C-alpha cells in the first residue's frame, strides 16, 4: 500500500510517499511544491493544486493523510494555511483519494515516539525510520511523518478489527495483479 | 461576457453569474453549494470543489472574482474560511479561469454605492441592479455583488485603456460565432 502524506503551506507544500508492506515501511518519494514568491493567492493555489495533481498522477498513492489543524494563533497565518490546505485537499479528493486527518501530537508520537518532538528531531527520526540517507527538507520530513502516522493508525485499526490493512484497497490491487 | 462571483464559506459557498453586454448587466444564475452539516473538512472541501466545477461546466463563465480577505478576527474562523476559499479558487483555476480579487469595501461600493452597506442592503441593491424579482440568499447576493464589482472594474480599466471589454475573450467568442 502506498501512502501519501501532506504538510500544507502557502509558500511550500511538502509531500511524502511511503510504501507499507506488512509492518515494513519504506521511502518512495518526497519533496515540496514551492509557490512563486510574491504571487497572488489564486496563482499559489493553482500551483499547489497542479503540483499535487501531478505527484498523485505519477506515484498513484492508495490513501492519503494530512495534519489536522485545530487552532491557529495568528488569524492572518490561519487564513493563508487554510487556503493552501483547501487546495491540497481539493487535489486529493478530486482524484478520489480518501484523506485522513491526524493531530500534530499523533504525527510526532508516531514518527519520533514523542508528542512534542522538534522539527530537527522529526527530520532525524523520519530518515532513520525509513532508512533514507539523502537530506530531507522540513516540509518533506513533516509530510513523510504524516504518512508514517497513517500507516501506524491504519495498522492498529486493522489489528483491532482482525483484518489485513485496508481490505478494499488490497482487494482491488490483488485483482489488478491477477489480471497481469 | 459572463462573470462568475464567489462568496466562499465552509458551510455554504455562494455563487452568482451575470452577463455583461456593453454597460448592461443581467442575471444569469445564482445559488449556494451547501456542505453536509457535521462532515469532516476533507468531505466539505470535496463538495465545494465538485459543486463549483459543475457550475462552471454548466455556465461556462469567461472570468471570475472573489472577495479578498485581508484579515480575520478569529483564527478558527479564518482557518475554515481559508480552506473553503482554497477549494473554490482551486476549482476555478483548475479550469483555467482567471480569478480577480476585490476587497469587501470595493464590492459593497460597486453593488450598493456604499462601502459599509449591510447584508440586507446588498441583497436589496443587487436584486434591483440586475432587475431580479425572485428571493436571493445572502450567499448568492454576495456572490453576485462580487461579479458586479468585477464588471465595473473591468469596465473602468477598459475605458482607461480605450479598448473594449476583455478583448481576448471577445475575439475568441466572435470567432466561435463566425464558425456557426
Amino acid at each position: 500500500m502506498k501512502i501519501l502524506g501532506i504538510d500544507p503551506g502557502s509558500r511550500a507544500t511538502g509531500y511524502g510517499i511511503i510504501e507499507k508492506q506488512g509492518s515494513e515501511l519504506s521511502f518512495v518519494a518526497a519533496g515540496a511544491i514551492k509557490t512563486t514568491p510574491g504571487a497572488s493567492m489564486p496563482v499559489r493555489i493553482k500551483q499547489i493544486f497542479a503540483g499535487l495533481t501531478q505527484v498523485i498522477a505519477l506515484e498513484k498513492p492508495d490513501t492519503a493523510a494530512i495534519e489536522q489543524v485545530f487552532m491557529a494563533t495568528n488569524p492572518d497565518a490561519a487564513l493563508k494555511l487554510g487556503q493552501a490546505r483547501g487546495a491540497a485537499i481539493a487535489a486529493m479528493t478530486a482524484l478520489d483519494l480518501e484523506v485522513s486527518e491526524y493531530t500534530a501530537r499523533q504525527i510526532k508520537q508516531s514518527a519520533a515516539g514523542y508528542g512534542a518532538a522538534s522539527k530537527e528531531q522529526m527530520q532525524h527520526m523520519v530518515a532513520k525510520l525509513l532508512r533514507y540517507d539523502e537530506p530531507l527538507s522540513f516540509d518533506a520530513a513533516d509530510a513523510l511523518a504524516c504518512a508514517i502516522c497513517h500507516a501506524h493508525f491504519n495498522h492498529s485499526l486493522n489489528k483491532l478489527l482482525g483484518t489485513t490493512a485496508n481490505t478494499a484497497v488490497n482487494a482491488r490491487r490483488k485483482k489488478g495483479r491477477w489480471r497481469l
Side-chain angles (χ1 to χ4, degrees), chain A:
Chain A
M1 181 166 60
K2 260 184 171 179
I3 304 171
L4 168 66
I6 292 293
D7 178 42
S10 61
R11 273 178 290 189
T13 288
Y15 65 87
I17 295 161
I18 61 171
E19 171 96 39
K20 184 187 176 191
Q21 291 193 299
S23 60
E24 195 75 11
L25 302 184
S26 58
F27 176 92
V28 176
I33 298 152
K34 297 213 168 113
T35 58
T36 309
S40 71
M41 202 40 109
V43 168
R44 286 167 189 252
I45 286 171
K46 182 172 189 162
Q47 290 172 339
I48 295 168
F49 184 88
L52 201 49
T53 298
Q54 215 178 330
V55 167
I56 296 168
L58 197 71
E59 301 291 351
K60 299 182 182 58
D62 299 297
T63 180
I66 195 164
E67 188 182 315
Q68 185 166 32
V69 189
F70 271 117
M71 51 168 194
T73 42
N74 172 346
D76 190 48
L79 197 60
K80 281 184 187 149
L81 172 61
Q83 292 181 76
R85 196 175 194 269
I89 295 178
M92 294 188 278
T93 54
L95 292 168
D96 282 329
L97 268 178
E98 209 176 298
V99 181
S100 299
E101 295 179 291
Y102 299 98
T103 63
R105 206 176 170 76
Q106 287 174 317
I107 294 170
K108 288 180 174 181
Q109 184 73 45
S110 273
Y114 171 50
S118 70
K119 278 203 166 289
E120 289 76 12
Q121 287 173 315
M122 290 285 281
Q123 204 178 30
H124 176 74
M125 288 304 292
V126 162
K128 205 172 153 185
L129 220 135
L130 299 172
R131 295 167 307 283
Y132 186 69
D133 299 332
E134 309 290 316
L136 276 176
S137 69
F138 286 140
D139 298 314
D142 283 353
L144 287 167
C146 194
I148 291 168
C149 178
H150 192 36
H152 287 171
F153 271 81
N154 231 18
H155 188 68
S156 320
L157 189 72
N158 287 316
K159 261 175 88 174
L160 209 72
L161 298 171
T163 58
T164 55
N166 213 330
T167 315
V169 169
N170 280 350
R172 182 171 61 72
R173 299 193 79 196
K174 269 190 194 135
K175 214 171 156 193
R177 277 187 205 129
W178 288 336
R179 277 194 191 137
L180 288 172

